[in-house]
Amino acid sequence: MNILVINPVLYSAENRIIPEVKTIKETMIYSMCLGFVSNGHRVTLAASAEFKPVEEEDYEIEVLFFKSQFVRLFPPALIPYSSGFYKFLKSDHHRFDMVLCSEVFTFPTLFASIICPSKTVIWQEMTVHQSIFRKMPSKFWHHVIIRLFIRKVRCVIPRSKRAYAFISRYMKNVSSTCVDHGINTLKFRFSEKKERYIITSSRLISGKNIESIIEIYGKLIRIKGYEDIRLLIAGRGELQESLEQLVAKLGLRGHVLFLGFLNQQDLNNAIKHSYVFLVNTLRDMNMVSIPESIASGTPVITNLLPASADYIAKEKLGVAKDHWNEYDIIEVIDNNSLYVCNCLNYREQLSNSYSTKKITDIFMEFSPNR
C-alpha cells in the first residue's frame, strides 16, 4: 500500500518552545514509518515545518514539512494548523491507500476525515481531555466536531486500554485491539549480563520527577547488600544543577552519575547492562524509552501514568505501581534473571514491523463504507 502518515508534532516541546534537533530519525513516528517499509509498503510522512531538523538529512521515506499558520491561536507545539497541508491532501489523497492520523484532536485529522474518510485511520494516544483552557477546546472537539465531521472515518486504533476507554465514549468504530508504539529493535542490542547499577533517562525537567528517583535511590543504598549499587541519570535539562545539589544534600556524591545527553547507541549500551530502568513521571502517557529498555533486556519500574504500565504488569516485565519504592527495586534486582527473560521473550512484540502490521491488519478488517 501507499501510506500517508500524518504526525505534525514530531517530538515533545517544553513550555511550547520547540527545541532544535539535528535529526528526526530517532523519533518514534519515523521508526514506525520504517516499520511500514519493512512490511513492503511505501510511506510518506507529513509533519509541521517547525519540527524540521537544522541540518539536511536523507530519508528512507518521503518526508514533507508544512508551515504552520495562526501560531498564536494554534501553537505548533500543541495543535498546529496548516492550510498548505489541507491543499496537499485535497490534491494528493488519491495516491494513498491508507491515511494514518495521530490523534483525534488535531486539524490534520479533521482534514483527512472530511477529504478521505474511507481511507483514514486514527491512531489514538490521548486518554483524557487536553487540559489547555480548562479542557473546553478538547471537550468541544469531542462532543461536536467528532459528531459532525470525524465519526465516519474507517476506524480508530487505540494505543492502550485507557485510550480505548476514553475515545470509545465518543466514537463507535474503535478497534478493541490496542497497538502501542513500535521501535526498531535492530538498533537495540540486549544483554542478560548486568552490572551493579540502575538507570533512568529523560529530559531533566520538573514533569519527569527525577528528584523522587534520587530520593528513593538514597534509601536503597542504605540497605545492607545494596550499598554498591550506582544510579545513572542520562539526559540534560534545566533542572540538572538543582538535581546535583539534591545529590550532594543527600550525601550521594560518588554514587550518582550524570551522563548528560547520549545518542541512541550510547544510551542503549548504558541501559542494556542496568538491572532496571526507572520511571516516575508526572505527565507522560507514552514513553519510547520504556519499550527501548525492554528491548534491551532491561526490566522497567514505573508508576501507572504511562500507558505501557498495563503490559509491564501483565507480562511481568518489571514493576508497575504508583508510589513504588526501594523495595520494588530490590525485588527486580534479586529476581533479575526472571524479569530479563520475560523482556527478551516480549521483545519482538515491541518491534516497529510487528506494530505496523497490526495497524494495517486492523485497517483491512474494517469496512471502507462505514
Side-chain angles (χ1 to χ4, degrees):
M1 289 194 294
N2 287 326
I3 299 174
L4 174 64
V5 177
I6 307 171
N7 198 105
V9 179
L10 294 179
Y11 46 86
S12 300
E14 188 67 16
N15 298 321
R16 303 188 185 184
I17 299 175
I18 301 172
E20 293 184 344
V21 299
K22 294 182 179 180
T23 180
I24 63 167
K25 290 187 176 182
E26 295 183 358
T27 60
M28 176 278 297
I29 200 64
Y30 190 84
S31 177
M32 287 293 287
C33 289
L34 295 185
F36 285 117
V37 172
S38 71
N39 289 325
H41 303 291
R42 292 176 293 277
V43 179
T44 298
L45 171 62
S48 293
E50 290 75 16
F51 292 85
K52 188 174 183 179
V54 294
E55 297 181 359
E56 291 294 327
E57 56 181 348
D58 296 323
Y59 300 115
E60 296 92 330
I61 59 174
E62 181 183 24
V63 181
L64 304 176
F65 293 99
F66 296 91
K67 183 71 175 176
S68 298
Q69 298 162 303
F70 311 117
V71 295
R72 290 187 178 180
L73 184 60
F74 305 120
L78 296 177
I79 183 166
Y81 174 90
S82 172
S83 62
F85 173 76
Y86 177 84
K87 293 175 182 176
F88 161 77
L89 190 61
K90 185 74 173 177
S91 63
D92 283 44
H93 71 91
H94 302 288
R95 68 184 177 99
F96 299 108
D97 303 299
M98 185 178 89
V99 177
L100 178 66
C101 301
S102 183
E103 300 300 324
V104 164
F105 185 24
T106 71
F107 283 110
T109 297
L110 173 61
F111 299 158
S113 302
I114 294 172
I115 295 171
C116 50
S118 65
K119 299 178 180 181
T120 298
V121 52
I122 302 171
W123 193 30
Q124 177 72 15
E125 177 178 8
M126 293 298 295
T127 60
V128 294
H129 288 291
Q130 289 190 12
S131 59
I132 187 172
F133 296 123
R134 300 184 179 181
K135 303 182 181 180
M136 293 307 296
S138 178
K139 288 183 176 180
F140 175 79
W141 192 278
H142 286 77
H143 284 286
V144 179
I145 301 299
I146 285 179
R147 183 176 301 175
L148 294 177
F149 303 108
I150 300 179
R151 62 184 179 86
K152 292 184 179 180
V153 298
R154 185 150 174 164
C155 63
V156 180
I157 301 175
R159 305 190 200 189
S160 66
K161 291 180 180 179
R162 279 173 279 174
Y164 173 85
F166 173 69
I167 198 59
S168 60
R169 290 156 49 191
Y170 304 100
M171 300 187 70
K172 294 182 178 180
N173 49 335
V174 181
S175 170
S176 59
T177 301
C178 301
V179 181
D180 197 5
H181 302 137
I183 61 172
N184 187 351
T185 52
L186 296 178
K187 289 186 175 182
F188 293 90
R189 304 278 184 179
F190 61 85
S191 175
E192 298 177 66
K193 183 180 179 180
K194 305 300 181 181
E195 299 178 13
R196 298 289 287 177
Y197 66 82
I198 57 181
I199 192 169
T200 187
S201 172
S202 71
R203 289 176 297 146
L204 304 184
I205 57 177
S206 59
K208 303 297 184 178
N209 202 19
I210 302 299
E211 62 274 13
S212 71
I213 293 177
I214 294 173
E215 290 168 353
I216 294 170
Y217 168 75
K219 298 175 183 178
L220 171 71
I221 63 169
R222 288 171 173 81
I223 298 175
K224 186 177 180 180
Y226 304 92
E227 304 94 334
D228 64 325
I229 299 292
R230 293 175 297 150
L231 171 63
L232 275 54
I233 300 175
R236 60 190 175 196
E238 59 193 36
L239 294 186
Q240 179 161 341
E241 184 176 347
S242 64
L243 292 174
E244 290 174 343
Q245 291 172 354
L246 176 62
V247 166
K249 179 182 176 181
L250 296 177
L252 299 175
R253 281 182 174 169
H255 299 277
V256 178
L257 179 62
F258 288 87
L259 303 179
F261 172 79
L262 298 179
N263 62 36
Q264 197 173 69
Q265 181 178 353
D266 291 338
L267 181 59
N268 172 228
N269 287 334
I271 289 175
K272 72 181 182 180
H273 293 299
S274 174
Y275 279 121
V276 62
F277 184 88
L278 304 172
V279 176
N280 204 21
T281 182
L282 298 176
R283 64 174 66 172
D284 299 280
M285 291 178 297
N286 282 285
M287 301 178 65
V288 177
S289 56
I290 288 178
E292 289 178 350
S293 177
I294 295 168
S296 302
T298 296
V300 175
I301 295 179
T302 180
N303 58 349
L304 296 179
L305 188 56
S308 48
D310 293 337
Y311 69 75
I312 289 172
K314 179 181 178 181
E315 304 295 334
K316 293 181 170 50
L317 307 175
V319 174
K321 59 187 284 190
D322 286 332
H323 312 298
W324 57 265
N325 58 32
E326 63 273 21
Y327 295 102
D328 296 302
I329 299 177
I330 289 173
E331 155 66 23
V332 176
I333 291 176
D334 288 354
N335 298 286
N336 203 247
S337 59
L338 171 64
Y339 288 108
V340 170
C341 181
N342 292 342
C343 289
L344 296 181
N345 289 337
Y346 196 74
R347 173 182 161 93
E348 180 54 33
Q349 295 186 49
L350 298 173
S351 71
N352 51 6
S353 59
Y354 183 91
S355 295
T356 52
K357 186 178 186 304
K358 286 177 68 176
I359 289 176
T360 53
D361 286 348
I362 294 169
F363 175 78
M364 295 303 294
E365 289 172 3
F366 277 79
S367 169
N369 298 317
R370 274 183 180 271

